[in-house]
Each structure stands twice: as structure tokens, then as C-alpha cells.
């Protein structure tokens, strides 16, 4: 049981990385981004391209930080991937959502457009890589560490948790300390007031997409390190990240973080009673219960 | 290919497009007239197909009972399958509407998406329910003893078109009634509809249930056409996304547009198969993804440049008032 909770925290930190971006986009750009899961998939595959094709091609040596399953190649690929998916998110906004915003299309039309974008991203990945399951480093034995309370955990999983927490702290500092971060919080609080005070909301929106896309990409890569890559992985994260977002109240970054952990732990603990394939349904059931009991989420006002 | 081969191909194409047209009509009630964002059509598709299959097939007996498991098998005529599919889908819609219809419009979207995925998981995992991933087979086809099996599709085409016309007329009648006017009022401005004393939640619920029942009939017609269903059929791509593209292409808020959109997009979908056949051999296995990519791009183009679709919403008031 303790072991499942620990696994849930690892999964939860990945869900949180997706949910934080989703909740920011939801509040600042103002619609439910159904392509957010696909940003995670895109991140996982961009990193795959960098570590298995680009870096070997320029002759970058292969290395491995024993006992972790990756080395310098992944360390270099990680920030580049986050930047690339951040650009992808901004690009999607410029090509699709910005035009719909200026046409005064409703939030539902934007959400539908993002659903279309999610299929476009997934199909592109399927065309390039096909539908197989892929490992970053195939054929590697990944022994687990034995911790007290009978917990078996792989070093990779400890790294995943630490990396996610590190990114959340960075985001926290960005929002509290920088001018852009403060402007973003102001826009999230009240868009009209932000406009009046001379904040360039279009710039804020681009930054929001960049952060959302970057964090989702990080989540995707970390999931790839933990489990494996599959074109449907982001789609399977969509319900959990929406559940985490709603649980933590839409627009609340710290709520999304906690929501992510709650959903992750619930999904892993459920495998003690249910078939593991039902993890998605568990996240969905929690979401339905929140909608019935407290639709504004745990941090929402009445 | 000789003439009869082409003709039977066109007939099979027309049947599938007709079944998709019924889904579009159901979605049009929800989205086109009420503004409900249901992205879990695949779930109703799945439930409709399985319900009708189990109502019309007998319980497996003898040696079959060891290989095929299903929770019930009533062996009733085809028409009971259609009705049962509609009723069960209506109940599912009621259950999904209760937690979501009082909230913002995208909550329904997330919830319907979730229910569709959950339904597919349940049918995939629960062997006792409807034979798990292998699914059910040999659904009876009405009037199959009238003609030889290779000509049966002509009869099924007529059945599909009759079902489509009856549903079309029922929706047209409902939409032109005071009930339909309330739905459109809710879509345009919920606040003012509410101030006119309309119970928004109730009307939205009725629209969601009505549309989902139509989708259930679509699912049932699909099951008896293909005579074999399994959970892998009811994916978000084939079960939800393509239907949205059809409705947006044809024109939401227009029942003729919904039918037209289904035929046009199904035509494009089938047509792209002929194009991808010319691709180099290595790309052949990826051809379905290329075709879906095209459909996805098509949706974005429609949303950006022609949001009213091919036909646009039909005027329901006097032509003299603009």
C-alpha cells in the first residue's frame, strides 16, 4: 500500500506538470485546451528525436548516470524539448486560437479547435513514428532500490519527482519575482483590469502558452523515462489532468499541483482493487464526484 | 471493376454515410440547436450498438456458451433493438447530465469525453458483460430472407434511409415547436431565456437525452449492418471526431446540412483512401493517419474560414425579418 502511494506521488508529479499548464491556459486564455495531453506526447517524442537521432548524428557521446537510466544526452534534450513544445503551443495559438479570438468566437469553438489540434499533433506523431511502444533506452535492466516499509522504487522515479518539484519552484519564483510573472497573475485575476493598466494581454497569452507547453513537455519526457513512449499517452493523460485541474479549482496553480498528486495517488492505489486499465476511469469518477459535491474545486470560492 | 461491383461499393458507402448522418442529426439537436458540447459521441455509439446486439441475439448456448459471454440475450426482433438502444442511451445521457448541465459548457465536454473512454474500458475489460475485446457477432439483419446475401445491402440501405427520414422529420417538428424555440433561445442567451421563466437545466437535459437517443439508434443500425462489433471500433476518432467534422462541415443548426455534411465528409474520407493507395509502399501502413490528419486540418479550416458550414443555419422565422 505504501508502495502504491509512492508510485502515486511519482505519477501525480507528472499529472501536476500537465495540470498546472492546463489550469493557467484555462484561466488566462479562457478555454479548455483539449490539446494539452498532446503537448505531453509531443514533448516525449521531440526528446526521443534529440536523444536517439540528433545527438548521435552530431557525434555527441552516449553516457549514463548510473543508477539512472539516462545521461548527458537527455540532460541536453530536456530544456530544448521544453522550448520546442513551448514554441509549438505559441504557434498553435498564432495559427488557430488568435484568429478565433479576434473573430469573437466563443470559448466552445476554441475548445473544439484545440480538439482538432490535438488530433493533428497525434496524427503527425503517428505518421513519423508509427504506433509502437518505444523506450528511450531499450533493453536496459532497471533495478529497484529497496526502501523501508517494503517500498521498491527505481532511481528514475525519485529523479522524476525531484525534477517536477524543481520546475514548480522555478514557476513559483517566476510568478512572484518577475515583472512578467506579476503581470500574468494580474491578468489571471481580472483580464479587463489588466488591459486598463496597460498590460499587453497578447504577450501574456503567449507567455502562458510557452509555460503551459513547456511544463507539459517536461511531463511527457518524464513519463517516457518512467514507463515508455506511445502516441496515445497524452490522450490518456487528458482526463487525469482535467480532473486535477477541476479538483484544485480552475486557475489555481497550487490547486493543480495538489490535484495532480491526489489523482495520481488515487489512480495507483486503485490498482490494488481494480484492473490497472481502469486508472483512467478512476480519475474520471473522482472528477464526477467533485462536480457533484464541490464543482468549484477545493480552493474555489462559494 | 465491372458495373455491379462499383454499384455495391457505392451502396455500402451510402449506408455508412447514412448511419453517420443519424449521428450528425443527434449531435445537431445537442450542439446545433442547444449549444451542448458533447465530445463523447463514441460512448453513445458503443452503448447503442451493444444494447441492440444483446436485445436481438439469443443467449449463447451449448459449445458457444464457453466462448461467448454476454450479460443477456433476448432474441427479440430488430425494431426492439433500435428502441432499446435509444432508451439505454437516454438513461446514460440523464446520468451524465445531472452533474454537468448546471455548470459551464465545457464541463459537459470533459464529462462526455470521460464517459466515452470509461464505457470503452468497461466493454474491453469485463468479459462477462459482452465478451470483452472480442466483442459480439452475428446480429440479425431484418428481411434477410427476401433476397440473396450479396444483394442484402440494398434492403439495408432502404432501412437506413427510412430511419434517417423519420428521425429528420421528428427533429424538424420538435425544433419548429415552442420547445425548439426555447432551445435556440438558451443557445443564444441563457440569461435572458432564464429570465423569461424557462427552466434552463430541464430543457438542456431534454435536448441532451433526445440527441443521445438518436445516437443510440445510429449505433444500433451500425451493429446490424456490420454484424460484428468490438470495443476497438468505438474510438474517439471514428466515433466522435469525424462526426463533429461532418456537422461543422454541413452546417450546425441545419438538419439538411447535418445530412449533407455526413455524406460529403464520408465521401472525402473514402476518397482519400484511393489517393493514399498511390503512396510508396513504406508509407502504406501510415495511410489512415495521413487521412485523419487531412480531416483534422479540414476542421480547422472550417472553424476559421467557414464556421457556418456549407449550408449555415436555416431561418426559422419570417423571411421578411432580417
Amino acid at each position: 500500500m505504501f508502495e502504491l502511494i509512492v508510485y502515486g506521488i511519482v505519477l501525480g508529479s507528472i499529472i501536476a506538470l500537465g495540470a498546472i499548464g492546463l489550469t493557467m491556459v484555462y484561466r488566462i486564455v479562457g478555454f479548455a485546451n483539449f490539446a494539452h495531453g498532446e503537448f505531453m506526447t509531443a514533448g516525449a517524442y521531440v526528446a526521443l528525436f534529440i536523444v536517439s537521432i540528433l545527438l548521435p548524428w552530431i557525434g555527441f557521446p552516449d553516457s549514463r548516470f548510473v543508477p539512472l537510466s539516462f545521461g548527458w544526452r537527455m540532460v541536453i534534450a530536456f530544456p530544448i524539448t521544453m522550448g520546442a513544445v513551448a514554441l509549438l503551443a505559441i504557434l498553435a495559438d498564432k495559427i488557430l486560437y488568435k484568429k478565433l479570438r479576434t473573430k469573437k468566437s466563443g470559448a466552445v469553438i476554441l475548445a473544439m479547435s484545440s480538439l482538432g489540434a490535438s488530433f493533428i499533433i497525434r496524427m503527425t506523431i503517428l505518421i513519423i513514428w508509427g504506433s509502437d511502444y518505444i523506450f528511450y533506452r531499450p533493453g536496459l535492466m532497471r533495478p529497484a532500490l529497496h526502501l523501508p516499509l517494503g517500498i521498491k522504487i527505481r532511481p528514475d522515479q525519485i529523479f522524476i519527482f525531484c525534477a517536477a518539484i524543481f520546475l514548480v519552484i522555478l514557476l513559483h519564483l517566476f510568478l512572484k519575482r518577475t515583472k512578467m510573472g506579476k503581470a500574468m497573475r494580474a491578468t489571471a485575476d481580472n483580464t479587463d483590469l489588466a488591459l486598463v493598466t496597460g498590460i499587453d494581454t497578447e504577450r501574456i497569452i503567449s507567455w502562458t502558452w510557452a509555460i503551459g507547453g513547456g511544463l507539459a513537455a517536461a511531463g511527457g519526457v518524464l513519463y517516457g523515462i518512467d514507463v515508455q513512449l506511445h502516441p496515445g499517452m497524452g490522450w490518456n493523460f487528458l482526463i487525469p489532468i482535467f480532473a486535477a485541474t477541476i479538483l484544485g479549482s480552475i486557475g489555481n496553480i497550487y490547486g493543480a499541483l495538489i490535484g495532480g498528486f491526489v489523482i495520481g495517488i488515487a489512480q495507483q492505489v486503485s490498482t490494488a482493487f481494480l484492473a490497472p486499465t481502469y486508472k483512467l476511469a478512476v480519475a474520471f469518477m473522482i472528477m464526477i464526484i467533485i462536480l457533484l459535491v464541490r464543482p468549484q474545486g477545493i480552493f474555489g470560492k462559494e | 471493376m465491372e458495373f455491379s461491383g462499383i454499384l455495391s461499393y457505392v451502396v455500402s458507402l451510402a449506408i455508412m454515410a447514412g448511419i453517420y448522418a443519424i449521428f450528425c442529426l443527434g449531435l445537431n439537436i445537442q450542439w446545433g440547436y442547444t449549444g451542448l458540447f458533447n465530445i463523447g459521441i463514441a460512448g453513445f455509439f458503443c452503448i447503442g450498438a451493444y444494447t441492440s446486439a444483446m436485445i436481438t441475439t439469443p443467449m449463447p448456448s451449448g459449445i458457444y456458451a464457453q466462448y461467448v459471454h454476454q450479460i443477456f440475450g433476448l432474441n427479440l426482433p430488430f425494431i426492439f433493438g433500435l428502441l432499446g438502444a435509444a432508451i439505454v442511451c437516454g438513461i446514460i445521457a440523464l446520468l451524465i447530465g445531472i452533474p454537468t448541465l448546471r455548470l459551464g459548457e465545457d464541463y459537459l465536454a470533459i464529462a462526455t469525453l470521460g464517459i466515452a473512454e470509461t464505457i470503452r474500458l468497461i466493454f474491453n475489460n469485463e468479459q462477462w458483460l459482452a465478451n470483452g475485446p472480442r466483442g459480439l457477432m452475428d446480429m440479425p439483419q431484418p428481411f434477410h430472407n427476401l433476397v440473396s446475401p450479396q444483394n442484402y445491402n440494398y434492403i439495408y440501405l432502404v432501412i437506413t434511409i427510412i430511419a434517417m427520414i423519420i428521425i429528420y422529420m421528428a427533429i424538424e417538428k420538435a425544433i419548429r415547436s415552442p420547445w425548439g424555440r426555447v432551445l435556440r433561445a438558451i443557445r443564444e442567451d441563457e440569461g435572458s431565456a432564464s429570465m423569461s421563466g424557462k427552466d434552463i437545466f430541464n430543457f438542456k437535459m431534454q435536448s441532451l437525452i433526445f440527441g443521445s437517443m438518436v445516437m443510440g439508434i445510429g449505433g444500433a443500425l451500425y451493429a446490424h449492418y456490420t454484424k460484428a462489433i468490438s470495443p476497438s471500433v468505438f474510438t474517439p476518432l471514428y466515433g466522435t471526431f469525424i462526426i463533429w467534422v461532418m456537422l461543422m462541415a454541413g452546417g450546425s443548426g441545419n438538419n439538411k446540412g447535418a445530412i449533407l455534411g455526413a455524406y460529403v465528409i464520408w465521401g472525402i474520407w473514402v476518397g482519400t483512401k484511393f489517393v493514399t493507395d498511390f503512396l510508396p509502399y513504406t508509407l502504406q501502413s501510415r495511410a489512415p493517419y495521413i487521412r485523419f490528419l487531412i480531416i483534422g486540418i479540414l476542421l480547422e479550416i472550417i472553424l476559421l474560414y467557414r464556421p457556418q458550414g456549407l449550408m449555415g443555419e436555416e431561418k426559422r422565422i419570417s423571411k421578411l425579418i432580417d
Side-chain angles (χ1 to χ4, degrees):
Chain A
M1 195 51 140
F2 286 112
E3 192 172 55
L4 289 176
I5 293 172
V6 171
Y7 292 163
I9 292 171
V10 174
L11 179 64
S13 52
I14 295 170
I15 294 172
L17 288 177
I20 289 171
L22 181 69
T23 210
M24 287 175 72
V25 169
Y26 218 139
R27 172 58 64 83
I28 293 175
V29 194
F31 72 94
N33 177 27
F34 287 103
H36 214 80
E38 259 59 32
F39 289 160
M40 299 175 83
T41 323
Y45 279 85
V46 169
L48 176 72
F49 170 74
I50 296 172
V51 294
S52 67
I53 295 175
L54 191 65
L55 290 176
W57 183 67
I58 61 167
F60 192 89
D62 193 13
S63 58
R64 200 184 134 208
F65 307 142
V66 183
L68 298 173
S69 70
F70 54 88
W72 281 109
R73 281 182 182 172
M74 184 55 91
V75 173
I76 293 172
F78 204 93
I80 300 175
T81 300
M82 286 179 69
V85 178
L87 283 179
L88 174 72
I90 295 174
L91 190 72
D93 186 67
K94 296 278 183 244
I95 297 175
L96 303 171
Y97 313 136
K98 189 176 178 189
K99 291 196 177 122
L100 292 171
R101 273 201 302 278
T102 45
K103 282 171 69 177
K104 302 261 178 269
S105 301
V108 184
I109 296 291
L110 280 145
M112 196 188 300
S113 180
S114 73
L115 190 66
S118 91
F119 280 98
I120 290 173
I121 295 171
R122 182 145 42 119
M123 289 306 135
T124 309
I125 290 167
L126 278 163
I127 291 167
I128 300 172
W129 280 282
S131 61
D132 293 333
Y133 288 86
I134 303 174
F135 286 98
Y136 281 126
R137 195 187 277 267
L140 185 71
M141 286 290 283
R142 300 192 291 176
L145 302 174
H146 291 263
L147 300 185
L149 296 167
I151 296 165
K152 286 194 290 294
I153 190 165
R154 277 179 281 120
D156 280 349
Q157 293 176 309
I158 299 171
F159 167 79
I160 288 165
F161 175 74
C162 296
I165 295 301
F166 173 71
L167 288 170
V168 172
I169 292 170
L170 271 190
L171 176 68
H172 173 82
L173 292 176
F174 172 80
L175 290 174
K176 290 277 157 124
R177 300 283 167 83
T178 65
K179 210 172 164 205
M180 179 50 71
K182 285 174 187 166
M184 282 179 86
R185 285 193 290 140
T187 313
D189 268 353
N190 189 332
T191 315
D192 293 333
L193 209 59
L195 264 176
V196 174
T197 46
I199 292 173
D200 180 356
T201 45
E202 280 298 321
R203 248 188 98 206
I204 300 285
I205 286 175
S206 290
W207 272 91
T208 309
W209 282 113
I211 293 170
L215 290 178
V221 179
L222 293 176
Y223 183 77
I225 290 173
D226 187 19
V227 190
Q228 54 194 355
L229 284 74
H230 184 254
M233 58 186 265
W235 182 258
N236 288 337
F237 267 113
L238 197 58
I239 297 291
I241 63 177
F242 265 108
T245 301
I246 292 171
L247 178 67
S249 303
I250 291 169
N252 189 323
I253 291 163
Y254 309 101
L257 179 67
I258 291 166
F261 285 123
V262 172
I263 300 293
I265 291 169
Q267 283 193 306
Q268 292 292 22
V269 170
S270 77
T271 59
F273 322 99
L274 286 169
T277 39
Y278 278 127
K279 276 186 197 171
L280 198 81
V282 170
F284 174 66
M285 285 317 294
I286 295 174
M287 188 176 82
I288 292 293
I289 293 166
I290 304 159
L291 290 182
L292 281 169
V293 180
R294 198 176 162 82
Q296 72 273 35
I298 39 180
F299 296 109
K301 296 171 200 76
E302 281 297 317
Chain B
M1 210 193 295
E2 85 257 50
F3 177 70
S4 69
I6 297 173
L7 191 64
S8 70
Y9 187 73
V10 170
V11 168
S12 68
L13 204 151
I15 294 172
M16 266 321 287
I19 292 170
Y20 271 118
I22 290 170
F23 283 105
C24 285
L25 287 170
L27 182 62
N28 199 25
I29 302 169
Q30 297 173 346
W31 168 251
Y33 294 118
T34 328
L36 301 176
F37 192 26
N38 172 2
I39 51 173
I41 306 167
F44 299 103
F45 194 159
C46 182
I47 291 282
Y50 271 102
T51 307
S52 184
M54 289 193 277
I55 288 175
T56 56
T57 51
M59 202 64 187
S61 58
I63 187 102
Y64 279 113
Q66 292 181 326
Y67 299 102
V68 181
H69 303 271
Q70 59 186 66
I71 188 168
F72 64 89
L74 301 180
N75 206 10
L76 290 171
F78 173 70
I79 190 78
F80 289 98
L82 296 192
L83 293 175
I87 291 167
V88 175
C89 282
I91 294 168
I92 302 277
L94 175 75
L95 294 177
I96 201 77
I98 290 169
T100 55
L101 286 180
R102 287 184 210 280
L103 307 169
E105 49 206 352
D106 22 70
Y107 288 94
L108 178 71
I110 303 160
T112 47
L113 182 75
I115 196 89
E117 295 290 308
T118 306
I119 287 169
R120 194 152 53 91
L121 282 179
I122 291 173
F123 276 105
N124 228 337
N125 286 293
E126 303 304 324
Q127 199 75 29
W128 53 268
L129 180 66
N131 212 25
R134 276 175 298 166
L136 300 175
M137 273 168 55
D138 287 335
M139 279 63 89
Q141 298 189 308
F143 308 115
H144 67 276
N145 41 14
L146 290 184
V147 291
S148 58
Q150 65 264 36
N151 287 328
Y152 178 73
N153 275 0
Y154 294 99
I155 290 186
Y156 208 79
L157 179 63
V158 174
I159 293 172
T160 310
I161 289 176
I162 290 172
M164 188 173 83
I165 291 172
I166 292 172
I167 291 167
Y168 169 84
M169 294 201 309
I171 298 173
E172 282 286 309
K173 191 153 176 60
I175 285 309
R176 285 172 202 281
S177 72
W179 183 79
R181 281 200 292 279
V182 177
L183 291 191
R184 273 171 284 135
I186 290 172
R187 183 193 64 190
E188 293 303 325
D189 188 345
E190 239 183 87
S192 64
S194 169
M195 273 191 287
S196 325
K198 306 297 177 196
D199 184 347
I200 307 284
F201 178 77
N202 251 329
F203 277 98
K204 279 186 173 177
M205 184 66 95
Q206 288 160 18
S207 165
L208 184 69
I209 292 174
F210 186 12
S212 303
M213 290 174 82
V214 171
M215 290 172 186
I217 294 173
L221 284 169
Y222 175 84
H224 293 272
Y225 171 55
T226 59
K227 289 175 72 176
I229 51 171
S230 66
S232 61
V233 175
F234 309 101
T235 59
L237 284 171
Y238 290 96
T240 300
F241 188 63
I242 200 163
I243 296 164
W244 268 103
V245 180
M246 286 167 172
L247 182 61
M248 297 309 287
S252 42
N254 186 326
N255 287 320
K256 289 191 194 75
I259 295 171
L260 177 72
Y263 277 86
V264 169
I265 297 296
W266 191 248
I268 292 175
W269 172 248
V270 174
T272 51
K273 185 169 178 346
F274 290 104
V275 180
T276 51
D277 281 348
F278 291 105
L279 283 172
Y281 182 73
T282 45
L283 275 174
Q284 286 286 335
S285 63
R286 311 275 160 95
Y289 312 137
I290 298 172
R291 293 163 68 204
F292 260 119
L293 182 69
I294 295 168
I295 298 283
I297 293 169
L298 191 63
L299 174 70
E300 301 295 357
I301 292 171
I302 293 166
L303 290 177
L304 283 173
Y305 301 107
R306 205 175 163 82
Q308 75 275 34
L310 287 168
M311 294 183 90
E313 183 165 5
E314 206 180 336
K315 262 193 171 335
R316 300 288 171 187
I317 46 172
S318 164
K319 287 189 170 62
L320 299 172
I321 307 167
D322 193 26

